[in-house]
Every structure is written in C-alpha cells, then in structure tokens.
Amino acid sequence: VVNVKALGHFAPGADVDVASLAEAGLVRSATEPVKVLGSGDLGVALKLRVAAVSDSARKKIEAAGGSVEILAS
C-alpha cells in the first residue's frame, strides 16, 4: 500500500509501476500487487500502473494531469 503523497518525488510525466515503487523504497517487493490510497496531495502528473487504486487516489492523480492503469492480477 502506498499513499498518493509518497508519489510526489517522482519526476513529472514519469511512468510509475511496482518496480519503480520498489526501487524508490516505497514498497518492499517488486512482485507483490500494490494499492494506492488517497492520503495526501499530488502535484505532478504521473502514469501509474498498479493492481488497485482507491477512488480518492484516482481523482487526485487525474486532477494532477496523470493517468491510472489497473493491472490484471
């Protein structure tokens, strides 16, 4: 689980997936599914590819100009 506020350190326009989250130290494993929750704010547009995302997180990511792709488990 990752909160929206933790995604702010990625560069604008970055493609963010489980591997990049693990590399950044935000999740323990690059092989486990990740859910993004809506706590905090996001000021950069990201292309997010994860297993699940809360409605509030999706709204914040899209409001920042980003996009969300839900991966099949």
Side-chain angles (χ1 to χ4, degrees):
V1 175
V2 175
N3 283 304
V4 165
K5 65 183 173 188
L7 302 176
H9 81 278
F10 287 100
D15 290 322
V16 179
D17 58 12
V18 179
S20 59
L21 291 170
E23 187 176 309
L26 298 176
V27 296
R28 292 185 198 154
S29 171
T31 59
E32 295 293 319
V34 172
K35 180 173 185 174
V36 178
L37 301 179
S39 178
D41 292 314
L42 182 64
V44 296
L46 301 173
K47 297 173 190 165
L48 192 66
R49 291 188 313 274
V50 292
V53 61
S54 70
D55 288 339
S56 62
R58 179 183 291 274
K59 288 176 185 171
K60 290 178 181 184
I61 292 162
E62 291 174 349
S67 62
V68 176
E69 178 185 341
I70 302 301
L71 302 175
S73 343

